[in-house]
Amino acid sequence: MATIVEAQTRPEIRVEDVEYQRQGGKALLARVYRPAGTGPFPAVVQVHGGAWTSKDRTDNDFISRAFAESGILVASLDFRMPPEAPYPASIADINLGIRWLKARARTYGSRPDWVGVFGTSSGGHQALLAASRSPKRRRSMRGSPLSCRAGASSTRSCATTSRRRPAMPSLWKIITRSGVTRRR
């Protein structure tokens, strides 16, 4: 008796590294994970962990891929870190990365008002710091980078429960309840 094995196909995504700023002659890159299709897609800036001093945009690749496969555009950022660049350099870079993605949202198949930010471990701390910019500063900029949602996750909860939905329930709820995701 033959066993039929159903092939599981994963949605196609495009991954590319793009320079989002230059500091002291050094390029800072964003790894952009683009879902298949035309969109518009909700979008998030992913801020990596690493005890505030290590790792890069390639950390948590599996989370970014799972989000993109679920129809969410992701931009994972490199940013300056200690000891090369002490606080608040990383937060300045993250804020610039959010503004960069909002300015190019339509190019990547999203909308500026559908951009959020999330981070894991120390990246979650930095994402929340970026989201807590002063309200006066946010109001002064039309389409402010932080008229978006923010989420943080412990590294322990970073996994996937299925091909369709990341296993970060609190972040997934923020994204799906924001009214920007579409049911597949």
Side-chain angles (χ1 to χ4, degrees), residues 127-147:
L128 293 174
L129 283 173
S132 66
R133 293 177 62 187
S134 84
K136 180 180 178 186
R137 173 87 170 126
R138 284 197 300 252
R139 279 194 306 270
S140 70
M141 298 183 336
R142 186 170 186 273
S144 162
L146 283 280
S147 56

Side-chain angles (χ1 to χ4, degrees), residues 76-133:
S76 296
L77 300 180
D78 279 343
F79 47 86
R80 295 171 293 160
M81 296 176 279
E84 172 195 325
Y87 176 86
S90 60
I91 303 304
D93 293 345
I94 293 163
N95 281 324
L96 189 124
I98 294 166
R99 289 192 312 272
W100 172 85
L101 182 58
K102 288 185 80 145
R104 288 158 186 77
R106 295 199 195 291
T107 302
Y108 289 117
S110 185
R111 291 179 20 186
D113 57 331
W114 285 7
V115 173
V117 59
F118 82 96
T120 55
S121 194
S122 62
H125 175 243
Q126 293 181 98
L128 293 174
L129 283 173
S132 66
R133 293 177 62 187

Side-chain angles (χ1 to χ4, degrees), residues 151-169:
S153 176
S154 154
T155 315
R156 289 190 186 116
S157 68
C158 297
T160 36
T161 55
S162 74
R163 292 182 311 119
R164 298 179 64 91
R165 175 168 83 85
M168 293 188 288

Side-chain angles (χ1 to χ4, degrees), residues 22-33:
R22 187 167 286 274
Q23 287 286 339
K26 180 181 174 190
L28 291 177
L29 302 177
R31 177 160 286 178
V32 179
Y33 299 80

